[in-house]
Amino acid sequence: MSNLDSIFRDLVIANRILATEEVVDAYGHVSIRHPDNPNHFLIARSLAPDLVTADDIVELGLDGQPVGNEKRTLYLERFVHAAIFEARPEVTAVVHAHAEDILPFGIADATRLRPVIHSGSFVGSEVPVWDIADNFGDTNLLVTNMEQGRDLAKCLGGNNVALMRGHGFAAAGRSLIEVVRMSVYLPRNARALLRAKQLGGRIRYLSQGEIDARNRGYSPYSTETWRAWEYWANKAGVGDLLSRPEA
Ligand SMILES: [Zn+2]
């Protein structure tokens, strides 16, 4: 079995995990950069993530257009992925989702969404908020072309996550496991922060030192990291697709 087969399986697993963990619903998507061609990426055709199988994965270029003769309908917002892969050569996987718990932090500017729980540390110390209206005025809020995607990628900068005002978030990771984990814990971190705000008093965010310490202990294929991936995949009913890479 070729490496590409296991990449396809991993992408199916990622889709199913994000659906089961309610990061995505009918909408939202996850992609991975093509392992053999950094100017291409792999993503499902326009389909709810919970329904994605290996046959639904398409190959797109960094302009968001299909490679080869692809006739199936594609995600309208595939340009989120294309522009982030274009801007960030070190990024190998991207998630875009509309998870409800993060939305208030893109709407109200009184409280910044930053890590407050240990598992939220991988979000990073800065989570910029992108407002499509700043440069594009009144739109349907969706990222439907490269110009909008590049504007979002510019706002994301070197960060791991950007919120999209009134819409959702975009997350960029060095591996599929990393970006899925980030996307699962981002809404949990947001919920904890929102509840802490309700209790009142000073909000204690994770310090930069704590975030750095968490990052130092992270390895994409460590036993601890794999444990979460394996758990989520089985919970999502796709444990049979798991293939653990060499550490
Ligand atoms: Zn969207």
Side-chain angles (χ1 to χ4, degrees):
M1 198 169 281
S2 78
N3 183 36
L4 208 52
D5 288 332
S6 86
I7 296 278
F8 273 49
R9 284 200 307 273
D10 285 346
L11 195 51
V12 170
I13 292 170
N15 272 277
R16 302 298 188 87
I17 289 174
L18 291 171
T20 302
E21 300 303 317
E22 299 185 328
V23 179
V24 296
D25 48 20
Y27 303 99
H29 16 85
V30 53
S31 64
I32 187 165
R33 197 187 288 272
H34 196 292
D36 304 324
N37 184 345
N39 294 320
H40 291 175
F41 66 97
L42 304 165
I43 190 168
R45 67 182 173 92
S46 182
L47 187 68
D50 199 38
L51 305 177
V52 168
T53 67
D55 291 339
D56 298 308
I57 292 169
V58 298
E59 186 173 340
L60 307 183
L62 296 191
D63 57 359
Q65 299 307 330
V67 173
N69 191 25
E70 180 59 63
K71 294 277 185 258
R72 293 175 290 182
T73 305
L74 304 174
Y75 288 130
L76 287 175
E77 293 197 282
R78 59 193 183 275
F79 304 100
V80 169
H81 304 258
I84 293 173
F85 284 130
E86 179 187 64
R88 296 272 299 274
E90 86 286 9
V91 164
T92 62
V94 172
V95 167
H96 167 59
H98 308 148
E100 191 176 328
D101 293 305
I102 61 95
L103 294 177
F105 297 95
I107 299 168
D109 60 9
T111 303
R112 302 286 298 275
L113 180 57
R114 283 162 41 199
V116 287
I117 58 175
H118 79 291
S119 49
S121 64
F122 303 109
V123 168
S125 50
E126 287 294 326
V127 181
V129 177
W130 179 68
D131 188 342
I132 193 169
D134 286 348
N135 287 323
F136 301 97
D138 290 336
T139 65
N140 63 3
L141 278 83
L142 304 181
V143 177
T144 54
N145 59 52
M146 279 307 288
E147 197 183 358
Q148 293 170 341
R150 285 179 180 134
D151 196 53
L152 167 63
K154 190 175 163 195
C155 175
L156 175 67
N159 297 294
N160 295 337
V161 178
L163 301 186
M164 302 157 73
R165 191 267 304 169
H167 179 175
F169 74 88
R174 294 163 297 175
S175 74
L176 196 58
I177 294 180
E178 183 177 302
V179 83
V180 166
R181 187 167 70 159
M182 211 187 302
S183 302
V184 169
Y185 285 120
L186 181 69
R188 293 184 191 183
N189 186 84
R191 281 199 293 277
L193 177 53
L194 205 56
R195 286 174 187 157
K197 288 284 287 182
Q198 288 167 343
L199 293 177
R202 181 167 71 100
I203 296 297
R204 292 201 53 186
Y205 290 98
L206 261 60
S207 70
Q208 186 62 52
E210 287 171 334
I211 292 170
D212 293 344
R214 297 273 307 159
N215 279 331
R216 277 197 298 277
Y218 170 76
S219 158
Y221 300 111
S222 68
T223 300
E224 289 75 18
T225 307
W226 181 258
R227 193 167 86 191
W229 183 251
E230 185 180 42
Y231 165 70
W232 283 325
N234 278 285
K235 189 176 162 192
V238 285
D240 58 315
L241 298 182
L242 284 167
S243 53
R244 184 168 185 169
E246 295 297 316

